[in-house]
Amino acid sequence: MIQNFKPYEKARLIEPATVQGVKKDATGQEIRDAQGNPVMEEQKGEIQTIPQGPMASQVAIKMLGTNGGGFVNANAPSL
């Protein structure tokens, strides 16, 4: 676990991923064609956001109990 006080770090992916996603307008509503089907567009992921912070001090507490995900809400023990 990372132990620092930075909120987030952005990292460029070595292999960017491309997926098909529903196209949305400026208000966040799905755009549909004349037949009522959603309009699809390619969405490319090139950057990953990595959460950071004072996590290392929380790992022992997370592993001792069943109190949920801990600092970044991951529901699994981390080592």
Side-chain angles (χ1 to χ4, degrees), residues 15-35:
E15 295 182 24
T18 303
V19 296
Q20 288 287 324
V22 177
K23 191 172 186 177
K24 296 186 179 185
D25 62 14
T27 63
Q29 299 296 318
E30 293 181 358
I31 298 174
R32 299 197 174 264
D33 61 14
Q35 290 78 31

Side-chain angles (χ1 to χ4, degrees), residues 1-5 53-62 71:
M1 303 294 291
I2 299 168
Q3 179 72 31
N4 61 30
F5 291 103
M55 294 182 220
S57 61
Q58 305 297 317
V59 172
I61 297 166
K62 187 168 101 175
F71 194 79

Side-chain angles (χ1 to χ4, degrees), residues 6 9-10 17 26-27 30 32 36 38 42 47 51 69 71 78-79:
K6 295 180 184 177
E9 185 92 16
K10 297 216 182 256
T27 63
E30 293 181 358
R32 299 197 174 264
E42 275 195 0
I47 295 176
F71 194 79
S78 339
L79 296 174

